[in-house]
Amino acid sequence: MSLNIALGQQNFLVGDIEANVNQIQQATAQAIQLNADLIIFPELTLTGYPVEDLLLRPDFIAAANNAIYNLATIFPEIAIVIGYPEIVGDKLYNSAAVLHQGAIIANYRKQALPNYGVFDEQRYFTAGNQACVFELHDALIGLSICEDVWQPELVAQTQQAGATILLTLNASPFERGKQQQREAQISNQAKTSQIPIVYVNQIGGQDELVFDGGSFVANKDAEIVFRAPVFQTDLSVVNFIDNQPQVTTCTPIVNPIAGIYSALVLGIKDYVTKNNFNGAILGLSGGIDSALVLVLAVDALGADQVEAVLMPSCYTQDMSNEDAELEAQALGVKTYTIPIASAVTAFENLLAPIFVETNNDATEENIQARCRGLLLMALSNKFGRMVLTTGNKSEMSVGYATLYGDMAGGFAPLKDVPKLLVYALAKYRNTLSVVIPARVISRPPSAELAPEQIDTDSLPAYEQLDPILERYIELDQSKTTIIAAGFAIAEVERAISLVDKNEYKRRQAPTGIKITAKAFGRERRYPITSGYDGLKEI
Amino acid sequence: MSLNIALGQQNFLVGDIEANVNQIQQATAQAIQLNADLIIFPELTLTGYPVEDLLLRPDFIAAANNAIYNLATIFPEIAIVIGYPEIVGDKLYNSAAVLHQGAIIANYRKQALPNYGVFDEQRYFTAGNQACVFELHDALIGLSICEDVWQPELVAQTQQAGATILLTLNASPFERGKQQQREAQISNQAKTSQIPIVYVNQIGGQDELVFDGGSFVANKDAEIVFRAPVFQTDLSVVNFIDNQPQVTTCTPIVNPIAGIYSALVLGIKDYVTKNNFNGAILGLSGGIDSALVLVLAVDALGADQVEAVLMPSCYTQDMSNEDAELEAQALGVKTYTIPIASAVTAFENLLAPIFVETNNDATEENIQARCRGLLLMALSNKFGRMVLTTGNKSEMSVGYATLYGDMAGGFAPLKDVPKLLVYALAKYRNTLSVVIPARVISRPPSAELAPEQIDTDSLPAYEQLDPILERYIELDQSKTTIIAAGFAIAEVERAISLVDKNEYKRRQAPTGIKITAKAFGRERRYPITSGYDGLKEI
């Protein structure tokens, strides 16, 4: 028995059923050219993933269900395995249908509905409760959707139903080290059940998630015999002889920093283009964060689609302007220079009679940041480029950012990238071609909103801060646990206190790209109004 | 048999277990004074509700579980029914414990975990699977938590377990007409099961939710024999003789507009004070929206805790300034007047070289709105008052608002209030005392960002727009359905198109108070990046 299975690692647009159907048809036609007997697509192929509350719209669900019936008749010669939101009475299932010879020959309903982290599937779906195995060219093929294949009992259920090959449709978002986790888990399931597993993942950016692809096939000895490239669409065919996958191309796993860099590039590209913006624009300060965002944007969109704005004040050092210009030149990016003094002065004059008996404080720093935000938004409004903000996760965590100032923009590429990782990514990118001036990497970070200001005036050094934040935010560790791990009490307390009281800023921040195990946004959902105090020992 | 049951309709602070324990102790001491044999508190008493991802913190969960054990010993003479997140191994339950004579004499685990609308309980909790009935002074008392009591089979389960009285702990957020729904549903359950039901709800604002209280007791004839007041804390005792509740005070249900008004007042009060802000500040334009927010804020916080800022431009009509001052005087609120021309000019000059070959468009309007936002935020930063934004739900729906401009602020009281309801609320408030000048209510609404601008230049008349928006947003109706209901095609298409493309603005909006059946925020969760097009017929 020989069977060719095509893995349709595609980039769908959430909500656009018509465009997704077109893409399915193109990929299927290509798979037929490649002599595939079957093509499998990612989870919820027709609608994209995650669809969120569009799933509550009857018109949308009806359209998706109609589309699946229409598709069945177009390519009778190949089996198409496709994900869709299946409506049955008043119940919605996260389903996979097998279309063949003009009919739906099998239909599977996802059983394990994740409702943690970034996932809310129990908000929408009813769980299925049985295995699905269908026959194609003498093979008995079982179906599984994403979370299902992480559950040993569900893989066993499909095996007991007779499957000799297991296909799984996935929408598994990128995070650091995720591909290794997937392969370890799924290849182990293949070995335990003695069934090869075909794992297809989608690619593409969708708001704060980036799907990295990396579709693969694990044989029953837990070996990866095929791996698709990450962060790009792919259509590959794996040949099965007597139910066993034959070894084919295995794209190597990229190193962790390169993987994160690619995730950020794809996240920016898809957010800007899928939202139909005319490129991107950002404030370029001469600091490391905006330096990294600029090169990411150029790598995502092309130099001609990106503009940088220098907005110096009296606190901006010459080297900041010089380094900003140097990088823009190295990348071939157009710059504007708009000194903000006159706007800042206008506000200071307007407020002077009211502020007459007050001292300078963060208010005056925020005015500067907000004048910059206003200028960037004006350029964005006028020319249609999306403003990219440049703040990183360390700043978002402790609130070291100005709402409506440097936080103003459509997308925050570094929102989940801690400061130390910003440096690592900048250094990595310079190994490909030197674009970020060395001084940007070596100088102490500064917001340049007050005379001779540096970040460590207000914050612990990032070498201390970042691991404290990781423990408190990503690992939910208590103050006591973090201190017991060897961090200084004062720095731990300062960091925790700042994290606790800045939820309100994060709630109004633009969306950004998840790359860690717990990103702000749909993954970490904290109340703003909260008496929780991480400093208190109860 | 005589039994006195106290209903502890309290206002807890999410996350502050220590403060909540204190409040529980005070209310319990008071209930003992009132000769209560039992006091019942709302759902998740110890932690407040909704706790969101604080429930994922092991330190927080441990503190809540320790607190329940400590509480058991303090008041041995009364039974205390209290909600808490119960940890058992690696499972978390939404539980209610009965503390009596120094011990936990009964414990119930919520069975129906809502995971729709504003609720995400399946993200955190495992469902219980059995009834809980305990004996107190010869009564057999069953327990139930919120969603449970809406399920006939769960009420029947408790009845079959022998309960002769059913207590239910609730955290049921306010929305239009909700109290009537609750009473109809729960009194019907009481009648069907022939068991009186004691329904205790919390009160208070928590981010976008307002809990309205309205705790009540339904007898087995489906009569409401007790009703607590809404929007305020209450501790009342209902006497049961031979398991039947005796008729006592029934606070009348308030009329719908008055109820919404009270919800907005409590929402503002709790958001500002629970977040420790030093009062509120807002831009007062002379239009209806800011006029309503001002009086709401004064009713919530007191006139001395509220300031209003007039920020006229060349497009501001004299009547706008006059009416703004009139209202502020009527309410005794301090005003500042800051004309924005000089700041706007500073930006126009800075941008002139870049904008030289462009035409005026929304960019210039946004600059004005953003100068105002910047001024308000500067005053807020300097003096610690929270900026209240003044946009309404109609504007939020269609994106008729400027990000970082009039959308800049900590809280958006009218975010879920459609424009026509804004008028109704203003008129209602003027029936209590005339504070909003008649001209503010009668003149056509205008953003005053361009010469002689009125809202209907850009939008359908609100008499058309609001019902279209309600159908599209709250009821998830399709374009076809809405047109079939008699609305003009062009207006329906314009409204839908604007709603679809403005999700990005809503995502960065401040939080506001839910009063309808579907509020933006945690209740309506749409993707920003989306190819869904409500205009398309598929």
Side-chain angles (χ1 to χ4, degrees):
Chain A
M1 177 279 273
S2 173
L3 185 73
N4 284 328
I5 296 181
L7 289 78
Q9 177 175 300
Q10 301 290 307
N11 187 346
F12 295 102
L13 177 56
V14 160
D16 194 339
I17 294 168
E18 198 177 323
N20 295 340
V21 164
N22 287 338
Q23 201 177 323
I24 290 161
Q25 292 185 10
Q26 283 173 28
T28 304
Q30 195 185 340
I32 292 170
Q33 294 286 323
L34 296 169
N35 292 316
D37 302 299
L38 177 150
I39 179 166
I40 165 177
F41 287 103
E43 184 173 12
L44 288 175
T45 324
L46 273 176
T47 59
Y49 189 98
V51 204
E52 304 187 57
D53 280 8
L54 287 171
L55 290 172
L56 304 179
R57 297 199 77 86
D59 59 336
F60 183 73
I61 295 299
N65 281 265
N66 291 340
I68 197 94
Y69 290 103
N70 295 341
L71 261 172
T73 56
I74 300 180
F75 299 103
E77 67 271 47
I78 187 171
I80 306 175
V81 183
I82 198 172
Y84 72 113
E86 181 192 7
I87 185 84
V88 182
D90 62 351
K91 289 193 164 61
L92 193 66
Y93 298 94
N94 182 340
S95 295
V98 183
L99 317 179
H100 194 221
Q101 296 177 331
I104 296 177
I105 63 164
N107 192 66
Y108 173 73
R109 294 170 181 161
K110 187 175 184 178
Q111 301 181 68
L113 299 173
N115 208 67
Y116 58 83
V118 300
F119 302 108
D120 290 292
E121 293 196 17
Q122 292 169 30
R123 182 173 172 87
Y124 309 106
F125 297 114
T126 300
N129 57 17
Q130 54 189 347
C132 171
V133 177
F134 64 95
E135 194 175 342
L136 186 74
H137 302 321
D138 299 328
L140 291 168
I141 302 177
L143 290 179
S144 167
I145 301 177
C146 213
E147 190 84 2
D148 290 335
V149 81
W150 296 70
Q151 314 297 327
E153 67 279 13
L154 294 182
V155 177
Q157 178 202 53
T158 307
Q159 180 213 30
Q160 282 151 23
T164 50
I165 299 172
L166 181 56
L167 307 183
T168 172
L169 302 81
N170 301 275
S172 176
F174 173 78
E175 67 183 48
R176 285 191 289 211
K178 192 65 176 284
Q179 181 71 13
Q180 288 87 337
Q181 273 181 50
R182 287 180 198 133
E183 292 187 8
Q185 175 77 15
I186 276 74
S187 65
N188 186 45
Q189 300 274 36
K191 186 170 183 181
T192 305
S193 62
Q194 287 291 296
I195 308 176
I197 299 180
V198 178
Y199 182 102
V200 177
N201 194 17
Q202 67 173 357
I203 78 129
Q206 171 59 31
D207 290 349
E208 64 197 72
L209 302 182
V210 170
F211 296 89
D212 50 337
S215 302
F216 62 91
V217 176
N219 71 15
K220 65 186 173 59
D221 300 320
E223 293 160 342
I224 304 299
V225 296
F226 164 77
R227 182 186 301 117
V230 281
F231 303 111
Q232 61 186 71
T233 57
D234 186 71
L235 186 75
S236 295
V237 174
V238 176
N239 177 237
F240 285 69
I241 295 178
D242 295 336
N243 293 307
Q244 304 313 317
Q246 306 304 298
V247 177
T248 175
T249 329
C250 279
T251 311
I253 291 184
V254 292
N255 84 55
I257 297 293
I260 294 168
Y261 193 90
S262 299
L264 297 173
V265 167
L266 180 58
I268 294 170
K269 180 182 175 189
D270 275 8
Y271 194 82
V272 172
T273 58
K274 288 181 176 179
N275 283 299
N276 302 311
F277 269 74
N278 181 23
I281 190 167
L282 70 151
L284 192 65
S285 69
I288 184 78
D289 299 314
S290 61
L292 179 60
V293 173
L294 179 63
V295 62
L296 285 165
V298 169
D299 288 347
L301 305 167
D304 59 331
Q305 291 298 302
V306 181
E307 293 178 345
V309 189
L310 284 66
M311 294 173 285
S313 76
C314 57
Y315 305 123
T316 306
Q317 296 191 50
D318 289 341
M319 68 171 160
S320 300
N321 294 324
E322 291 159 16
D323 290 344
E325 285 291 358
L326 276 175
E327 185 188 5
Q329 281 163 24
L331 290 166
V333 163
K334 180 175 176 181
T335 62
Y336 302 97
T337 298
I338 312 178
I340 61 170
S342 60
V344 171
T345 303
F347 286 110
E348 287 175 350
N349 290 341
L350 287 172
L351 291 163
I354 304 171
F355 286 0
V356 64
E357 286 176 10
T358 67
N359 296 320
N360 272 18
D361 55 20
T363 307
E364 285 72 19
E365 300 189 15
N366 286 337
I367 289 174
Q368 298 168 55
R370 290 184 178 128
C371 284
R372 293 191 174 107
L374 194 155
L375 287 165
L376 287 172
M377 288 304 298
L379 291 163
S380 173
N381 290 163
K382 190 61 89 182
F383 301 114
R385 298 194 191 275
M386 179 181 289
V387 176
L388 300 179
T389 66
T390 62
N392 58 60
K393 187 177 195 177
S394 309
E395 293 172 354
M396 273 297 95
S397 302
V398 297
Y400 197 68
T402 300
L403 258 179
Y404 325 128
D406 53 307
M407 287 175 67
F411 201 55
L414 305 185
K415 187 177 181 182
D416 198 36
V417 182
K419 188 78 174 189
L420 297 180
L421 186 51
V422 170
Y423 283 105
L425 289 163
K427 288 174 187 166
Y428 159 75
R429 180 57 182 78
N430 268 2
T431 66
L432 307 182
S433 64
V434 180
V435 290
I436 300 174
R439 192 164 57 178
V440 173
I441 299 176
S442 64
R443 66 184 284 203
S446 166
E448 295 196 328
L449 293 168
E452 292 173 41
Q453 186 179 45
I454 55 173
D455 289 11
T456 47
D457 297 344
S458 315
L459 301 176
Y462 290 110
E463 289 74 14
Q464 297 298 308
L465 180 62
D466 278 3
I468 293 170
L469 294 174
E470 183 179 10
R471 286 169 180 271
Y472 189 65
I473 294 167
E474 284 185 54
L475 304 176
D476 287 324
Q477 291 184 0
S478 70
K479 182 184 87 167
T480 311
T481 306
I482 301 172
I483 291 168
F487 293 90
I489 294 176
E491 296 191 347
V492 172
E493 291 190 340
R494 177 146 187 79
I496 288 177
S497 165
L498 289 168
V499 172
D500 284 353
K501 70 185 182 199
N502 279 291
E503 185 56 31
Y504 75 101
K505 282 194 190 177
R506 290 188 285 268
R507 199 65 76 86
Q508 291 190 42
T511 196
I513 305 164
K514 166 183 162 66
I515 60 136
T516 71
K518 192 175 287 188
F520 296 124
R522 55 186 286 135
E523 188 157 35
R524 185 182 189 266
R525 307 178 188 175
Y526 269 52
I528 301 174
T529 304
S530 169
Y532 176 75
D533 177 355
L535 301 186
K536 226 188 256 180
E537 299 294 309
I538 309 176
Chain B
M1 176 281 273
S2 172
L3 185 73
N4 284 328
I5 295 182
L7 290 78
Q9 177 175 301
Q10 302 289 306
N11 187 346
F12 296 103
L13 176 56
V14 159
D16 194 339
I17 294 168
E18 199 178 323
N20 295 341
V21 165
N22 287 338
Q23 202 177 324
I24 290 161
Q25 292 184 10
Q26 284 173 26
T28 304
Q30 195 185 340
I32 292 170
Q33 295 285 322
L34 296 170
N35 292 317
D37 301 299
L38 177 149
I39 180 165
I40 165 177
F41 288 102
E43 184 174 12
L44 287 175
T45 323
L46 274 176
T47 59
Y49 189 98
V51 205
E52 303 189 57
D53 280 8
L54 287 171
L55 290 172
L56 304 179
R57 297 199 76 87
D59 59 337
F60 182 74
I61 294 300
N65 281 266
N66 291 340
I68 197 93
Y69 290 103
N70 296 340
L71 262 173
T73 56
I74 300 180
F75 299 102
E77 67 271 46
I78 187 171
I80 306 175
V81 183
I82 198 173
Y84 72 114
E86 181 193 6
I87 185 85
V88 182
D90 62 352
K91 290 193 164 62
L92 193 66
Y93 297 93
N94 182 342
S95 295
V98 184
L99 317 180
H100 195 219
Q101 297 176 330
I104 297 176
I105 63 164
N107 191 68
Y108 173 73
R109 294 170 181 161
K110 187 175 185 179
Q111 300 181 69
L113 299 174
N115 208 68
Y116 58 82
V118 301
F119 303 108
D120 290 291
E121 294 197 17
Q122 292 169 30
R123 180 173 173 88
Y124 309 107
F125 297 115
T126 300
N129 56 18
Q130 54 189 345
C132 170
V133 177
F134 64 96
E135 194 174 341
L136 186 74
H137 302 320
D138 299 327
L140 290 168
I141 302 177
L143 291 178
S144 166
I145 301 177
C146 213
E147 189 84 1
D148 290 336
V149 83
W150 295 69
Q151 314 298 326
E153 67 278 13
L154 294 182
V155 177
Q157 178 202 55
T158 307
Q159 180 214 31
Q160 283 151 22
T164 51
I165 299 173
L166 179 57
L167 307 182
T168 171
L169 301 82
N170 302 273
S172 175
F174 172 78
E175 67 184 48
R176 284 191 290 211
K178 192 67 177 286
Q179 182 71 14
Q180 288 87 335
Q181 273 181 51
R182 287 179 199 133
E183 293 186 7
Q185 175 76 15
I186 276 73
S187 65
N188 186 45
Q189 301 273 36
K191 186 170 184 181
T192 306
S193 62
Q194 288 290 297
I195 308 176
I197 299 180
V198 178
Y199 181 103
V200 177
N201 194 17
Q202 67 173 359
I203 77 128
Q206 172 58 31
D207 290 350
E208 64 196 72
L209 302 182
V210 170
F211 297 89
D212 50 337
S215 302
F216 62 91
V217 176
N219 72 13
K220 64 186 174 58
D221 300 320
E223 294 160 342
I224 304 300
V225 296
F226 164 77
R227 183 187 300 114
V230 282
F231 303 112
Q232 61 187 72
T233 57
D234 187 70
L235 186 74
S236 295
V237 174
V238 176
N239 178 237
F240 285 69
I241 295 178
D242 294 336
N243 293 307
Q244 303 314 318
Q246 305 304 299
V247 176
T248 176
T249 330
C250 278
T251 311
I253 292 185
V254 293
N255 84 55
I257 297 293
I260 293 168
Y261 193 90
S262 299
L264 297 174
V265 168
L266 180 57
I268 293 169
K269 180 182 175 188
D270 276 9
Y271 194 83
V272 171
T273 58
K274 288 183 176 179
N275 284 299
N276 302 311
F277 269 75
N278 181 24
I281 190 167
L282 70 150
L284 191 65
S285 69
I288 185 76
D289 299 313
S290 59
L292 179 60
V293 174
L294 179 64
V295 63
L296 285 166
V298 168
D299 288 347
L301 305 168
D304 58 332
Q305 291 297 301
V306 181
E307 294 178 346
V309 189
L310 283 66
M311 293 173 285
S313 75
C314 57
Y315 306 122
T316 307
Q317 297 191 47
D318 289 341
M319 69 169 160
S320 300
N321 294 325
E322 291 160 15
D323 290 345
E325 285 291 358
L326 276 175
E327 184 188 6
Q329 281 162 23
L331 289 166
V333 162
K334 179 175 176 182
T335 61
Y336 302 98
T337 298
I338 312 177
I340 61 169
S342 60
V344 172
T345 304
F347 285 110
E348 287 175 350
N349 290 341
L350 286 172
L351 291 163
I354 303 171
F355 285 1
V356 65
E357 285 175 11
T358 67
N359 296 320
N360 272 17
D361 55 19
T363 306
E364 284 72 20
E365 300 189 16
N366 286 337
I367 289 174
Q368 298 167 57
R370 291 184 178 127
C371 284
R372 294 191 174 107
L374 194 154
L375 287 164
L376 287 172
M377 287 305 299
L379 291 163
S380 173
N381 290 163
K382 189 63 89 183
F383 301 114
R385 297 195 192 275
M386 180 181 289
V387 176
L388 300 179
T389 66
T390 61
N392 58 60
K393 187 177 194 177
S394 309
E395 294 173 354
M396 273 297 95
S397 302
V398 297
Y400 199 68
T402 300
L403 257 179
Y404 324 129
D406 53 307
M407 288 175 66
F411 200 54
L414 304 185
K415 187 176 181 183
D416 198 36
V417 181
K419 187 80 173 187
L420 297 181
L421 186 53
V422 170
Y423 282 104
L425 289 163
K427 288 174 188 166
Y428 159 75
R429 181 55 184 79
N430 269 0
T431 66
L432 307 182
S433 64
V434 180
V435 290
I436 300 175
R439 190 165 56 177
V440 173
I441 298 175
S442 63
R443 66 184 284 204
S446 165
E448 295 196 330
L449 292 168
E452 292 173 42
Q453 185 178 44
I454 55 172
D455 290 11
T456 46
D457 297 344
S458 314
L459 302 176
Y462 290 110
E463 289 73 13
Q464 297 299 308
L465 181 62
D466 278 4
I468 294 171
L469 294 174
E470 183 180 10
R471 286 168 180 271
Y472 189 65
I473 294 167
E474 285 185 52
L475 304 175
D476 287 326
Q477 290 184 0
S478 70
K479 182 184 87 168
T480 311
T481 305
I482 301 172
I483 291 169
F487 294 90
I489 295 177
E491 296 191 349
V492 173
E493 291 190 338
R494 176 144 187 82
I496 288 178
S497 163
L498 288 169
V499 172
D500 285 353
K501 69 185 183 199
N502 280 292
E503 185 56 32
Y504 75 101
K505 282 193 191 179
R506 291 188 285 269
R507 198 67 75 86
Q508 291 189 42
T511 197
I513 304 164
K514 166 182 163 66
I515 60 136
T516 71
K518 193 176 286 188
F520 295 124
R522 54 185 288 135
E523 189 158 34
R524 186 183 190 265
R525 308 177 188 176
Y526 268 52
I528 302 174
T529 303
S530 169
Y532 176 76
D533 178 355
L535 301 185
K536 227 188 256 179
E537 299 293 309
I538 307 176

